[in-house]
Amino acid sequence: MNQVCSFRTIENNPINHNKEHIGKFYKIPIEQAIQCNGFPKRFVRQAVTFQEYAVMVREPAVEIMSYLNQIDYTRPVNKYILYGKIGTGKSITLCHVLHYAFTQKYITVHIPWVPHWFRNMKEVANSALLPGYLDLPIDAGLWLKHFKVQNINLLTQLDLKVSTDYTWNQREMTPQGTSILELLDFGLNRMKYACGVIDVLIKELKLASTAGKCKTIVVIDGFNAFTMDKTYIRDDNKALVPPNKVSLTISFLNITKSDWCNGAVVLTVDKHANQSEGSDLPRYLLGKEGFEHLDPFIPILVDDYNTAEFDSMIEYYKERKWIRNITPEGQKELELITNRNPLTLMLQCNFL
C-alpha cells in the first residue's frame, strides 16, 4: 500500500474536509477542475506543470463549508465575505468552495474576477434593453459560456424553464416554458442581447431556488469592483462611467440581495479590485453603499500561511521537484523574505 505524504490527505471530497485536514493538500480530479473552471491562470499554469490540481485545505474554506452544511436554506441567503491582504489565497479559497458546490450539486453563478469587465472590456455598446445604460456584449457572451460549462450537467438533469415571456425585439422572444439551456443558447448566438439574457437568467434562478427547484451558490471574486467610483468604460461623450451605469452590474447586484432563499453568496473583496491603497477591511473596500447592500454578512479573514502551512507548501514543492536541494537554512530564509505570503512564495519559487 502506498504511503500518503504527511502534507497530503486522501480525503478528496470537500464535503468531508474539517480542521483535521487543514494544511494538507487534496487532489481535484482534472475533469472536475476543468468543469469548475474557476482557477486563476497562474495556478492553472502551475497545475499543468505539476500534472495535478492540488489545493491546500485552509481554515477559511473549512469554515465556509461547515456553514453551508448547517444553514437553514428556507431562510434568506447567507452572505460570506472573504477579505485579507493581497496574495493570501482568497481566490484559491473560492475555488475550494466552488469544488464543494460542484460535488453538492449547486448551480454556480461564478465571476472569476470582476475588474476584467471594467478594465479589459472587449466591446462597449448602448444597452439594447436598458436605456441610459451600457452593455458589454462580448464579455457577457463569454460569461454565459462559462456559466454553461460549469452547470451543463445539472441544468440538463433539472430541466429548469423560464416562468414568463421575455420579448427581445419585434421579431424575437423567449416564451414561457423555454428551458434555461435554450435561453443560454439564445444569448450565445445573439450577443447583442447577452446582457439581457444574464439579467433574465439571474431572475429565473432566484425564482427557481426560492421555489425549491434547485440550490444556487453565487461566487464572485473582486466584488468591490462593482462599488467603486469609476471604471475604464467611456460613454458616447468619452466620459468615464461608474459601474452602476453598466447593465451587468445591475444583474449581479440583484443576485447578491437578500430577497431569495435556498442558496448562498460567497464573495471576496480585494484592494486590486478597486485599486485601493488603504485598508483591507470590507467596510473600507465596499464603501458605504456596497456595505449596506451586502449587510448582514459574515466576514472571514484569509491570512498568510502559518508555519505549518508554509512547511507543507515547501514539502509539496519539493515533492514536485519544483524546489531541489534546499537546506533548512535556505527554507528559513525563504520564509523570512516571503513573510509566509502565499503569492509571494509562489513568485519567489517561480520558473526562471
Side-chain angles (χ1 to χ4, degrees), residues 13-279:
N13 188 343
I15 191 175
N16 296 324
H17 288 160
N18 55 47
K19 291 187 176 181
E20 293 179 5
H21 302 107
I22 290 175
K24 296 180 183 292
F25 284 85
Y26 85 102
K27 288 173 65 173
I28 302 177
I30 290 178
E31 64 276 7
Q32 290 186 16
I34 291 171
Q35 186 162 3
C36 286
N37 196 23
F39 293 96
K41 290 181 179 179
R42 186 181 282 116
F43 181 89
V44 172
R45 287 198 297 269
Q46 184 172 277
V48 170
T49 302
F50 293 166
Q51 297 185 318
E52 65 176 16
Y53 282 82
V55 172
M56 185 190 293
V57 179
R58 300 191 68 198
E59 187 170 356
V62 170
E63 183 178 351
I64 289 174
M65 292 185 295
S66 71
Y67 293 149
L68 295 177
N69 283 334
Q70 300 173 56
I71 58 177
D72 181 356
Y73 284 93
T74 65
R75 307 297 295 273
V77 289
N78 283 4
K79 305 173 192 177
Y80 310 94
I81 296 185
L82 296 165
Y83 72 99
K85 293 185 298 183
I86 290 169
T88 53
K90 297 184 290 295
S91 297
I92 299 300
T93 299
L94 280 189
C95 293
H96 195 168
V97 174
L98 266 180
H99 186 219
Y100 167 90
F102 178 83
T103 59
Q104 290 299 102
K105 299 189 181 302
Y106 287 80
I107 289 182
T108 56
V109 177
H110 171 237
I111 306 178
W113 187 236
V114 176
H116 279 321
W117 288 344
F118 300 143
R119 297 176 195 163
N120 310 111
M121 51 283 168
K122 295 182 170 50
E123 181 185 0
V124 179
N126 289 319
S127 177
L129 301 168
L130 283 177
Y133 289 82
L134 296 175
D135 281 350
L136 306 177
I138 295 177
D139 293 291
L142 291 172
W143 186 86
L144 286 172
K145 182 178 180 182
H146 173 70
F147 176 85
K148 186 177 180 180
V149 167
Q150 285 186 320
N151 297 285
I152 182 67
N153 295 339
L154 199 52
L155 289 174
T156 302
Q157 293 170 20
L158 296 173
D159 193 27
L160 300 177
K161 300 182 185 299
V162 300
S163 60
T164 188
D165 296 342
Y166 293 98
T167 300
W168 308 106
N169 55 46
Q170 289 182 337
R171 296 182 179 179
E172 294 173 297
M173 69 171 294
T174 298
Q176 179 182 353
T178 301
S179 74
I180 292 293
L181 282 173
E182 288 181 68
L183 175 71
L184 293 175
D185 289 337
F186 173 76
L188 289 168
N189 293 325
R190 297 284 280 124
M191 282 197 184
K192 176 180 179 180
Y193 298 106
C195 292
V197 168
I198 289 175
D199 197 55
V200 168
L201 173 67
I202 281 172
K203 290 175 182 176
E204 291 295 336
L205 286 178
K206 288 172 67 173
L207 289 171
S209 294
T210 303
K213 297 177 181 177
C214 63
K215 281 198 299 187
T216 302
I217 189 167
V218 181
V219 180
I220 301 177
D221 202 359
F223 179 85
N224 53 309
F226 283 132
T227 64
M228 61 184 175
D229 294 330
K230 294 290 182 185
T231 67
Y232 290 174
I233 300 171
R234 296 182 182 273
D235 60 17
D236 292 341
N237 298 320
K238 306 301 181 186
L240 295 174
V241 300
N244 61 13
K245 284 297 180 183
V246 179
S247 56
L248 284 173
T249 301
I250 307 304
S251 300
F252 288 100
L253 289 181
N254 183 16
I255 203 168
T256 50
K257 290 179 180 177
S258 302
D259 59 353
W260 59 289
C261 64
N262 208 20
V265 176
V266 186
L267 316 171
T268 73
V269 292
D270 190 282
K271 287 197 287 194
H272 276 173
N274 62 355
Q275 299 177 321
S276 170
E277 296 181 356
S279 170

Side-chain angles (χ1 to χ4, degrees), residues 306-318 323-340 345 349:
N306 58 33
T307 302
E309 289 172 331
F310 177 85
D311 291 343
S312 184
M313 191 76 241
I314 294 297
E315 289 303 312
Y316 179 72
Y317 279 155
K318 286 159 68 175
I323 295 178
R324 301 188 185 203
N325 305 320
I326 188 171
T327 63
E329 293 77 15
Q331 184 167 326
K332 190 65 178 176
E333 183 176 347
L334 197 55
E335 184 176 356
L336 289 171
I337 64 175
T338 62
N339 200 27
R340 298 200 299 266
L345 177 62
C349 298

